[in-house]
């Protein structure tokens, strides 16, 4: 099987978020779940995508962390379709269908830039009780100050559930230092992937600076997260902080020295809300994997 290492949400090698991409041979079925999990653990990236081609523009992709399978992964999807374009398995300026555990999602590839549909956005819950707020922020290595933090955390999903956790300034964001064991337990209790911390203290052209933590899935911090930034876009829409039809630019990974740019689009109306997430990617390496 073909193996590629791809840096997603960046145009620079060693930037963005690296993903493993395994492309199955024509007519070949997925390896066992345990083999795919062990492969992800061997590669040591936050997610590895396994791609089965069903038709010329139709694919079934499964996503594994070193710990388990997840329903969807934004950066590994961006990586996958840039890899497919690189291998000549799709043409540029096309629309594909990606079958995932989070649903069947449209993928647009234009001039090498990949824009993917997110799953239907869902607002799951708001964390609004003082003991719960205090616990969350303390687990994240900071403190809850209602005088400076005007927004409340929410559990939101556009394919994977995360806690959207606002902080006041970029300095506050940089200072976050979670207790990973406690965060894993808290994530398990809330039934979320992890915490997506953000600040709107941003320069012109940037909607938010963000950091993402998911130690429950063996990901202490992630340099770029498509699904979580899709969820953040929906969160900002719920609070009326962005237009119902428009674009956002999220910056992530600076603290990890892997700067990432994640672009999102929202189209919200009485009939529903469609969120897309997109970015560029760079092929770092390719070869064969024997599994």
């Amino acid at each position: 099987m073909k193996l590629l290492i791809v840096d997603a949400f960046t145009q620079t090698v060693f930037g963005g978020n690296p993903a493993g991409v395994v492309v199955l041979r024509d007519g070949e079925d997925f390896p066992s779940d345990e083999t795919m999990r062990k492969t992800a653990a061997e590669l040591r990236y936050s997610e590895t995508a396994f791609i089965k081609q069903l038709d010329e523009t139709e694919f079934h992709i499964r996503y594994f962390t070193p710990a388990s399978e997840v329903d969807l992964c934004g950066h590994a999807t961006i990586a996958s379709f840039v890899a497919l374009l690189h291998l000549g398995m799709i043409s540029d300026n096309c629309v594909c269908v990606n079958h995932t555990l989070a649903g069947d999602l449209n993928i647009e590839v234009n001039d090498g830039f990949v824009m993917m549909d997110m799953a239907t956005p869902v607002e799951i819950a708001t964390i609004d009780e003082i003991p719960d707020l205090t616990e969350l922020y303390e687990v994240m290595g900071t403190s809850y100050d209602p005088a400076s933090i005007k927004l409340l955390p929410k559990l939101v999903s556009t394919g994977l559930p995360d806690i959207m956790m606002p902080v006041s300034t970029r300095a506050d964001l940089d200072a976050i230092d979670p207790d990973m064991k406690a965060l894993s337990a808290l994530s398990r209790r809330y039934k979320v992937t992890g915490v997506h911390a953000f600040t709107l203290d941003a320069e012109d052209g940037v909607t938010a600076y963000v950091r993402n933590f998911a130690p429950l899935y063996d990901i202490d911090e992630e340099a770029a997260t498509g699904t979580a930034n899709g969820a953040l876009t929906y969160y900002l829409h719920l609070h009326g902080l962005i237009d119902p039809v428009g674009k956002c630019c999220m910056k992530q990974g600076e603290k990890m020295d892997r700067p990432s740019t994640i672009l999102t689009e929202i189209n919200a109306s009485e009939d529903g809300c469609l969120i897309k997430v997109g970015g560029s990617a760079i092929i770092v390496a390719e070869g064969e994997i024997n599994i």
Side-chain angles (χ1 to χ4, degrees), residues 275-286:
I275 291 176
K276 298 182 178 183
V277 171
S280 302
I282 298 289
I283 307 293
V284 176
E286 63 179 304

Side-chain angles (χ1 to χ4, degrees), residues 219-233:
I219 306 166
D220 284 353
E221 183 170 2
E222 194 152 34
T225 42
T227 53
N229 283 299
L232 177 57
T233 302

Side-chain angles (χ1 to χ4, degrees), residues 8-12 16-17 170 173-174 196-212 221-226 228-230 232-233 236 248-264 277-278:
F9 292 119
T10 183
Q11 294 180 314
T12 305
N17 199 1
R170 288 182 66 183
L173 186 71
D174 287 344
H196 197 60
F198 71 93
T199 180
L200 302 180
D201 176 23
E203 60 195 28
D204 289 345
V206 178
T207 308
Y209 284 89
V210 305
R211 295 177 68 189
N212 185 274
E221 183 170 2
E222 194 152 34
T225 42
N229 283 299
L232 177 57
T233 302
L236 297 176
C248 298
C249 175
M250 314 300 188
K251 292 287 188 177
Q252 189 174 343
E254 280 84 0
K255 186 72 174 180
M256 304 172 67
D257 198 27
R258 296 196 69 101
S260 306
T261 300
I262 302 97
L263 303 182
T264 70
V277 171

Side-chain angles (χ1 to χ4, degrees), residues 29-133:
D29 205 354
F30 291 105
S32 70
D33 290 7
E34 184 64 4
T35 295
M36 289 189 282
R37 187 199 66 77
K38 286 183 175 180
T39 300
E42 184 81 6
L43 293 174
R44 295 181 176 86
Y45 297 116
S46 57
E47 276 92 3
T48 294
F50 295 81
I51 306 175
K52 180 179 181 180
Q53 185 166 19
L54 304 178
D55 206 339
E56 185 176 348
T57 58
E58 193 171 354
F59 299 86
H60 181 187
I61 302 183
R62 296 178 65 184
Y63 307 90
F64 282 79
T65 76
S68 66
E69 184 172 15
V70 293
D71 290 353
L72 182 63
C73 174
H75 84 274
T77 301
I78 302 297
S80 293
F81 281 88
V82 168
L84 291 170
L85 180 63
H86 172 77
L87 294 171
M89 296 176 66
I90 60 172
S91 59
D92 207 353
N93 304 307
C94 69
V95 177
C96 299
V97 177
N98 180 19
H99 298 275
T100 77
L101 291 176
D104 298 340
L105 307 176
N106 289 329
I107 311 292
E108 301 172 21
V109 183
N110 293 299
D111 297 326
F113 187 92
V114 179
M115 183 67 73
M116 59 178 287
D117 285 0
M118 292 283 97
T120 301
V122 178
E123 178 187 5
I124 301 167
T126 300
I127 301 175
D128 54 8
E129 298 292 335
I130 292 298
D132 296 331
L133 290 164

